[in-house]
Amino acid sequence: MTRLTAAARGTAARIDAATPAHRDRAVDALRAFAVAGVVLGHWLVTALVADGRTLRAASPLQHLPWLAPVSWAFQTLAVFFLVGGHVATRSYASARERGVPYRRWLHARLARLFGPVVAVLGLWTVVTLTLLLSDAEYATVRTLVKLALSPMWFLLVFAALTAATPLVARLHPLWPLAVVLHVDVLRFGFGSPGGLGWLNLAAGWLVPYTLGAAWTRGELESRRPGWVLLGGGTAATAALVAWAGYPAAMVGVPGAEVSNLNPPTLAAVTFGLAQCGLALLLRDRLRRAMRRPLAWAAVALVNLSAMTVFLWHQTALMATTAALLPAGPLPGLHTVPDGLGWAAARLPWLIVFALALAVCGAAFRTWEQGGGRRRRARPSRVVRAHRPMTERTPHV
């Protein structure tokens, strides 16, 4: 055993020992899986093609639509909202038990959510002004800024649902699902204005969020709800794609007439139900797997920097692409994603993107902790228990 391996095992053992025995590690594992899915999905289906002096966004799904199943594996936002709803409703119930006012509870949660955003906005304000003053192509600037700030829509929706937690904590998921269904019927069946679809931005993600609240209430503890969600969601999604004309890709595809994600469609929501069902069925296996110190340490580290990873992964992709432009059009990085050769060439670049993301994480991770000496002195949230509803859990 090398020293490096021994050090990694020692660190993992310390993280494992510092984690309370009653912490539900499956929650952290599902969150880490959701974040990793979003990041890898974007890195695989987002390409910046060099066209003269202009960089434009492209996707292999434009040229290889039969690769749509790839998006099924990496479109994991529903799992994130499932976990988010579960954690938020538990946290709010615990705050009420301890007499913490709603305003203070919400402020604490939103501060953790939006603290790292300041660094992203600050850097990209400087980058945007620099590019415009240097006479860069406006189309290039627009493409870069749009990609860099695209994660923000998620934060706004998640923040809105977090703020509404006291109102939606007991809402049945069928109600927002019914809203999505009626909006899609009006849009696609009766030709209503496309803007109506943006109602689904809240209603669509409210479905898994309220499932998370049902998890907190103990209504999803048996395996039956998981099988119902997995089977029903899979069947409904297959029917919508096969017979109702919904796109097979569960992510946005540049130039596509209809996107399943922007805004969410009924197909995206039913697909999310299937994912949530699978997540619920895997909880026991994940709890057993997370008893292994190395596996738990990896999940804990992802959760430590979840916001940093989520906010900076597109910047890492763009920084790599732009920095290597002088080297000429590199396969899998600057070239048109129009064949399996591009897909094969893309895979090694994932390692480079990950290294660039690590640099961003090292530079900006203090913002994840809120910045400042006082905030950094606090114990890590990685090994802090989710507060139970009936007792106060100390930090460790």
Coordinates of all heavy atoms in Angstrom, one line a residue, residues 279-316:
A279 N -34.7 6.2 -7.2 CA -33.9 6.7 -6.1 C -34.4 6.1 -4.8 O -33.6 5.7 -3.9 CB -33.9 8.2 -6.1
L280 N -35.7 6.1 -4.6 CA -36.3 5.6 -3.4 C -36.0 4.1 -3.2 O -35.8 3.6 -2.1 CB -37.8 5.8 -3.4 CG -38.3 7.3 -3.4 CD1 -39.8 7.4 -3.6 CD2 -37.9 8.0 -2.0
L281 N -36.0 3.4 -4.3 CA -35.8 1.9 -4.3 C -34.3 1.6 -3.9 O -34.0 0.6 -3.4 CB -36.1 1.3 -5.6 CG -37.6 1.2 -5.9 CD1 -37.8 0.7 -7.4 CD2 -38.4 0.3 -4.9
L282 N -33.4 2.6 -4.3 CA -32.0 2.3 -4.0 C -31.5 2.8 -2.6 O -30.3 2.6 -2.3 CB -31.2 3.1 -5.1 CG -31.3 2.5 -6.5 CD1 -30.5 3.4 -7.5 CD2 -30.7 1.1 -6.6
R283 N -32.4 3.4 -1.8 CA -32.0 4.0 -0.6 C -31.3 3.0 0.3 O -30.2 3.2 0.9 CB -33.2 4.6 0.2 CG -33.7 5.9 -0.4 CD -34.9 6.4 0.3 NE -36.0 5.4 0.2 CZ -37.2 5.6 0.7 NH1 -37.4 6.7 1.5 NH2 -38.2 4.7 0.5
D284 N -31.8 1.8 0.5 CA -31.2 0.8 1.4 C -29.8 0.4 0.9 O -28.9 0.2 1.7 CB -32.1 -0.4 1.6 CG -33.4 -0.1 2.4 OD1 -33.3 0.9 3.1 OD2 -34.4 -0.8 2.3
R285 N -29.7 0.1 -0.4 CA -28.4 -0.2 -1.0 C -27.4 0.9 -0.8 O -26.2 0.6 -0.5 CB -28.6 -0.6 -2.5 CG -29.4 -1.9 -2.7 CD -29.3 -2.3 -4.2 NE -30.0 -3.5 -4.4 CZ -30.1 -4.2 -5.6 NH1 -29.4 -3.7 -6.6 NH2 -30.7 -5.3 -5.7
L286 N -27.8 2.1 -1.0 CA -26.9 3.2 -0.8 C -26.5 3.3 0.6 O -25.3 3.6 0.9 CB -27.6 4.5 -1.3 CG -27.8 4.7 -2.8 CD1 -28.6 5.9 -3.1 CD2 -26.4 4.8 -3.5
R287 N -27.4 3.1 1.6 CA -27.0 3.2 3.0 C -26.0 2.1 3.3 O -25.0 2.4 4.1 CB -28.3 3.0 3.9 CG -29.2 4.2 3.9 CD -30.5 3.8 4.4 NE -31.4 5.0 4.3 CZ -32.7 4.9 4.1 NH1 -33.3 3.7 4.0 NH2 -33.5 6.0 4.0
R288 N -26.1 0.9 2.7 CA -25.1 -0.1 3.0 C -23.8 0.3 2.3 O -22.7 0.1 2.9 CB -25.6 -1.4 2.4 CG -26.7 -2.0 3.3 CD -27.0 -3.5 2.9 NE -27.4 -3.7 1.5 CZ -28.7 -3.7 1.2 NH1 -29.7 -3.5 2.1 NH2 -29.1 -3.8 -0.1
A289 N -23.8 0.8 1.1 CA -22.6 1.2 0.4 C -21.9 2.3 1.1 O -20.6 2.3 1.1 CB -22.9 1.6 -1.1
M290 N -22.6 3.2 1.7 CA -22.0 4.3 2.3 C -21.4 4.0 3.7 O -20.8 4.8 4.3 CB -23.0 5.5 2.5 CG -23.4 6.1 1.2 SD -22.1 6.9 0.3 CE -21.9 5.7 -1.1
R291 N -21.5 2.7 4.1 CA -20.8 2.3 5.3 C -19.3 2.1 5.0 O -18.5 2.0 6.0 CB -21.4 1.0 5.8 CG -22.8 1.1 6.3 CD -23.4 -0.3 6.7 NE -24.8 -0.2 7.0 CZ -25.6 -1.2 7.0 NH1 -25.1 -2.5 6.7 NH2 -26.9 -1.1 7.3
R292 N -19.0 2.0 3.8 CA -17.5 1.9 3.4 C -16.9 3.3 3.5 O -17.4 4.2 2.8 CB -17.4 1.4 2.0 CG -18.0 0.0 1.8 CD -18.1 -0.4 0.4 NE -18.8 -1.7 0.2 CZ -19.1 -2.2 -1.0 NH1 -18.8 -1.5 -2.1 NH2 -19.7 -3.4 -1.1
P293 N -15.9 3.5 4.3 CA -15.3 4.8 4.5 C -14.9 5.5 3.2 O -15.1 6.7 3.1 CB -14.1 4.5 5.4 CG -14.5 3.3 6.1 CD -15.3 2.5 5.2
L294 N -14.3 4.8 2.3 CA -13.8 5.5 1.0 C -15.0 6.0 0.2 O -15.0 7.1 -0.3 CB -12.9 4.5 0.2 CG -11.5 4.4 0.7 CD1 -10.8 3.3 -0.2 CD2 -10.7 5.7 0.6
A295 N -16.0 5.2 0.1 CA -17.2 5.6 -0.7 C -17.9 6.8 0.0 O -18.3 7.7 -0.6 CB -18.2 4.4 -0.8
W296 N -18.0 6.7 1.3 CA -18.6 7.8 2.1 C -17.8 9.1 2.0 O -18.3 10.2 1.8 CB -18.9 7.4 3.5 CG -19.3 8.6 4.4 CD1 -18.6 9.1 5.5 CD2 -20.4 9.4 4.2 NE1 -19.3 10.2 6.0 CE2 -20.4 10.4 5.2 CE3 -21.5 9.5 3.3 CZ2 -21.4 11.4 5.3 CZ3 -22.4 10.4 3.4 CH2 -22.4 11.4 4.4
A297 N -16.5 9.0 2.0 CA -15.6 10.2 1.9 C -15.8 10.8 0.6 O -15.8 12.1 0.5 CB -14.2 9.8 2.2
A298 N -15.9 10.0 -0.5 CA -16.0 10.6 -1.8 C -17.4 11.4 -1.9 O -17.4 12.5 -2.4 CB -16.0 9.5 -2.9
V299 N -18.4 10.8 -1.4 CA -19.7 11.4 -1.4 C -19.7 12.7 -0.5 O -20.3 13.7 -0.9 CB -20.8 10.5 -0.9 CG1 -22.1 11.2 -0.6 CG2 -21.1 9.4 -2.0
A300 N -19.1 12.6 0.6 CA -19.0 13.8 1.5 C -18.3 14.9 0.9 O -18.7 16.1 1.0 CB -18.3 13.4 2.8
L301 N -17.2 14.6 0.1 CA -16.4 15.7 -0.5 C -17.2 16.4 -1.6 O -17.2 17.6 -1.8 CB -15.1 15.1 -1.0 CG -14.1 14.7 0.0 CD1 -12.9 14.1 -0.6 CD2 -13.7 15.9 0.9
V302 N -18.0 15.6 -2.4 CA -18.9 16.2 -3.4 C -19.9 17.1 -2.8 O -20.1 18.2 -3.2 CB -19.5 15.1 -4.2 CG1 -20.6 15.7 -5.2 CG2 -18.5 14.3 -5.0
N303 N -20.5 16.6 -1.7 CA -21.5 17.5 -1.0 C -20.9 18.7 -0.4 O -21.5 19.8 -0.4 CB -22.2 16.6 0.1 CG -23.3 15.8 -0.4 OD1 -24.4 16.2 -0.6 ND2 -23.0 14.5 -0.8
L304 N -19.6 18.6 0.0 CA -19.0 19.8 0.6 C -18.9 21.0 -0.4 O -19.1 22.1 -0.1 CB -17.5 19.5 1.0 CG -17.2 19.3 2.5 CD1 -15.8 19.0 2.7 CD2 -17.6 20.6 3.3
S305 N -18.7 20.6 -1.7 CA -18.5 21.6 -2.7 C -19.6 21.5 -3.8 O -19.3 21.9 -5.0 CB -17.1 21.4 -3.4 OG -16.1 21.6 -2.5
A306 N -20.7 21.1 -3.4 CA -21.8 20.9 -4.4 C -22.1 22.2 -5.2 O -22.3 22.2 -6.4 CB -23.0 20.3 -3.7
M307 N -22.3 23.3 -4.4 CA -22.6 24.5 -5.1 C -21.5 25.0 -6.0 O -21.7 25.5 -7.1 CB -23.0 25.6 -4.1 CG -24.4 25.4 -3.5 SD -25.7 25.6 -4.8 CE -25.4 27.4 -5.2
T308 N -20.3 24.9 -5.5 CA -19.1 25.3 -6.3 C -19.1 24.5 -7.6 O -18.9 25.1 -8.7 CB -17.8 25.2 -5.5 OG1 -17.9 26.0 -4.3 CG2 -16.6 25.5 -6.3
V309 N -19.2 23.2 -7.5 CA -19.2 22.3 -8.7 C -20.3 22.7 -9.6 O -20.1 22.8 -10.8 CB -19.3 20.8 -8.2 CG1 -19.5 19.9 -9.5 CG2 -18.0 20.4 -7.5
F310 N -21.5 22.9 -9.1 CA -22.6 23.2 -10.0 C -22.5 24.5 -10.7 O -22.7 24.6 -11.9 CB -23.9 23.2 -9.1 CG -25.1 23.4 -9.9 CD1 -25.7 22.4 -10.7 CD2 -25.8 24.7 -9.9 CE1 -26.9 22.7 -11.4 CE2 -26.9 24.9 -10.6 CZ -27.5 23.9 -11.4
L311 N -22.0 25.5 -10.0 CA -22.0 26.9 -10.5 C -20.8 27.1 -11.5 O -20.8 27.9 -12.4 CB -21.9 27.9 -9.4 CG -23.2 28.1 -8.6 CD1 -22.9 29.0 -7.4 CD2 -24.2 28.8 -9.5
W312 N -19.7 26.3 -11.3 CA -18.5 26.6 -12.0 C -18.2 25.6 -13.1 O -17.2 25.7 -13.9 CB -17.3 26.7 -11.1 CG -17.3 27.9 -10.2 CD1 -17.7 28.0 -8.9 CD2 -16.9 29.2 -10.6 NE1 -17.6 29.3 -8.4 CE2 -17.1 30.0 -9.4 CE3 -16.3 29.8 -11.7 CZ2 -16.8 31.4 -9.5 CZ3 -16.1 31.1 -11.8 CH2 -16.3 31.9 -10.6
H313 N -19.0 24.5 -13.2 CA -18.6 23.5 -14.2 C -18.7 24.0 -15.7 O -17.9 23.6 -16.5 CB -19.5 22.2 -14.0 CG -20.9 22.4 -14.5 ND1 -21.9 22.9 -13.7 CD2 -21.5 22.0 -15.6 CE1 -23.0 22.9 -14.4 NE2 -22.8 22.3 -15.5
Q314 N -19.6 24.9 -16.0 CA -19.7 25.4 -17.3 C -18.5 26.4 -17.6 O -18.0 26.4 -18.7 CB -21.0 26.2 -17.5 CG -22.2 25.3 -17.5 CD -22.4 24.5 -18.8 OE1 -21.5 23.8 -19.2 NE2 -23.6 24.6 -19.4
T315 N -18.1 27.1 -16.5 CA -17.0 28.0 -16.7 C -15.7 27.2 -16.9 O -14.8 27.6 -17.7 CB -16.8 28.8 -15.4 OG1 -17.9 29.7 -15.2 CG2 -15.5 29.7 -15.5
A316 N -15.6 26.0 -16.3 CA -14.4 25.2 -16.5 C -14.4 24.7 -17.9 O -13.3 24.7 -18.6 CB -14.5 24.0 -15.5

